[in-house]
Every structure is written in structure tokens, then in C-alpha cells.
């Protein structure tokens, strides 16, 4: 593992799909994907799941992402997914913007 990773600790490289743009305070997360890098074990683990956004997904976002309200019905909350990571894990978000 890279020496910088050993100094930082566990890192999760995260990609999100949302109901809007990053600067939209009403935007909700629809999908969470992460690659967890653990410097102590040199293991990598992938996590990917839909997220219950607790709001309807706008039609334009459904067309863009291919994620519908029906698909997220019964999906876990963001809090439940984040609970899979330790408090020491650094989250690094990918961004296309």
C-alpha cells in the first residue's frame, strides 16, 4: 500500500448518484458506491447500494441515472450504509463537476 495511506488510515473512495447537483441543498443521495482501502491489512473492499432518498426522484434524474422510485423502495438509509465504515475512515468523494 502507498505510504501516504498508512499515515492517513482507512480510506473509502466514494462515488454518488443524487437527485440534483452538488450545490442543491435539496439534493438527496440515490446510490452509494465505495472502494475501501485498509492500510493495516492491505485489503480492498467494494460497497455499492441504492439509498432511500426520502423524497421522490425527479423524472429528469430518473432518465439520467436510470434509478426509479420503485428501485429505491426498501433500500437502506444513508446512515445505515455509513455505519458500515469506522469513525476513522476518511471518505474521499469522486466528482465529475
Amino acid at each position: 500500500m502507498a505510504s501516504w495511506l498508512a499515515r492517513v488510515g482507512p480510506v473509502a473512495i466514494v462515488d454518488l448518484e443524487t437527485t440534483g447537483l452538488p450545490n442543491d441543498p435539496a439534493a438527496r443521495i440515490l446510490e452509494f458506491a465505495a472502494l475501501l482501502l485498509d492500510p493495516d491489512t492491505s485489503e480492498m473492499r467494494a460497497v455499492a447500494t441504492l439509498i432511500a432518498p426520502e423524497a421522490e426522484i425527479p423524472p429528469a434524474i430518473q432518465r439520467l441515472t436510470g434509478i426509479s422510485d420503485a428501485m429505491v423502495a426498501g433500500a437502506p438509509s444513508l446512515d445505515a450504509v455509513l455505519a458500515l465504515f469506522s469513525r476513522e475512515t476518511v471518505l474521499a468523494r469522486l466528482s465529475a463537476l
Side-chain angles (χ1 to χ4, degrees):
M1 266 302 140
S3 61
W4 65 267
L5 185 56
R7 290 190 306 269
V8 172
V11 172
I13 301 168
V14 178
D15 185 36
L16 306 172
E17 293 291 344
T18 66
T19 62
L21 296 174
N23 60 351
D24 178 359
R28 300 288 180 254
I29 295 173
L30 298 175
E31 186 175 29
F32 179 97
L35 180 61
L36 181 64
L37 309 171
D38 188 336
D40 293 333
T41 63
S42 296
E43 291 182 2
M44 291 187 286
R45 179 172 50 116
V47 175
T49 184
L50 293 173
I51 301 290
E54 301 176 1
E56 288 187 19
I57 303 170
I61 298 299
Q62 289 187 44
R63 287 189 298 277
L64 178 67
T65 65
I67 300 171
S68 68
D69 288 321
M71 292 171 67
V72 297
S77 69
L78 180 60
D79 287 342
V81 173
L82 291 178
L84 299 172
F85 300 93
S86 74
R87 295 183 120 197
E88 291 78 32
T89 301
V90 174
L91 297 179
R93 184 176 67 97
L94 297 176
S95 179
L97 297 177

